[in-house]
Amino acid sequence: MNDSTPPLHPIEREQLRAASTLVVTVKSSDEFHGDVTGGITSLEQGDAVDATPTLSFTSYDDLLETLTPRVLELIKAIRRDEPSSINEAARGVDREVKNVHEELSRLAQLGIIFFEEDGQSKRPVVWFDELVINLPFDPDAGDTAAAAS
């Protein structure tokens, strides 16, 4: 099974390790685009930009399909136990290696975890101490409101 996640540059890994919180939120596509565009404009003008790592989903369904109780349990176990491989992570949560590998690959694509490679072994790393889920309930939020109905 090949993992198509590009490896993180060592500086990116250190930046992630320095962050202690990952914020997960739900935003409409328009809100997300506006945030990215505004951030780029601020950077171009030399202004400060909020550096809190944030993962945005466009619907509640996407968030809940990704961060299921089993996935949250896996993230917590990896953070707590610091397994040396995917196999060890699977044993730690008493699950099939194939299923854990698939979930970890998806989490790596989203930036929730990253892998440190040691020969044939890939060690999953959870880089944050706290995961904060921010769920806005704004009826004017476009995609978000549609997902809640």
Side-chain angles (χ1 to χ4, degrees):
M1 196 180 292
N2 290 335
D3 182 13
S4 61
T5 306
L8 290 175
H9 187 276
I11 292 173
E12 291 174 306
R13 282 196 187 111
E14 291 310 312
Q15 287 172 332
L16 286 177
R17 284 193 176 116
S20 62
T21 301
L22 171 63
V23 175
V24 176
T25 190
V26 176
K27 291 185 178 186
S28 71
S29 299
D30 290 340
E31 285 177 302
F32 180 76
H33 183 267
D35 288 351
V36 170
T37 303
I40 290 170
T41 301
S42 294
L43 286 173
E44 289 174 343
Q45 295 173 351
D47 296 337
V49 178
D50 181 13
T52 304
T54 302
L55 174 62
S56 296
F57 290 91
T58 57
S59 73
Y60 298 117
D61 289 341
D62 287 346
L63 184 148
L64 294 173
E65 286 173 11
T66 301
L67 296 177
T68 65
R70 287 173 62 94
V71 168
L72 292 172
E73 175 191 5
L74 177 60
I75 292 169
K76 183 178 177 181
I78 291 169
R79 181 69 183 148
R80 179 189 61 231
D81 302 334
E82 298 180 352
S84 62
S85 66
I86 294 172
N87 289 346
E88 191 175 316
R91 282 192 300 273
V93 292
D94 195 29
R95 296 185 39 212
E96 293 290 323
V97 173
K98 179 181 182 243
N99 295 336
V100 169
H101 182 274
E102 288 172 1
E103 283 181 355
L104 291 177
S105 294
R106 169 98 166 111
L107 294 174
Q109 288 173 339
L110 293 170
I112 296 172
I113 66 137
F114 63 85
F115 292 107
E116 287 187 343
E117 295 192 27
D118 183 19
Q120 293 286 70
S121 182
K122 293 191 331 186
R123 183 172 87 84
V125 176
V126 173
W127 54 268
F128 51 88
D129 297 323
E130 178 181 37
L131 184 130
V132 175
I133 299 176
N134 179 10
L135 296 177
F137 295 114
D138 180 1
D140 298 325
D143 297 354
T144 305
S149 55

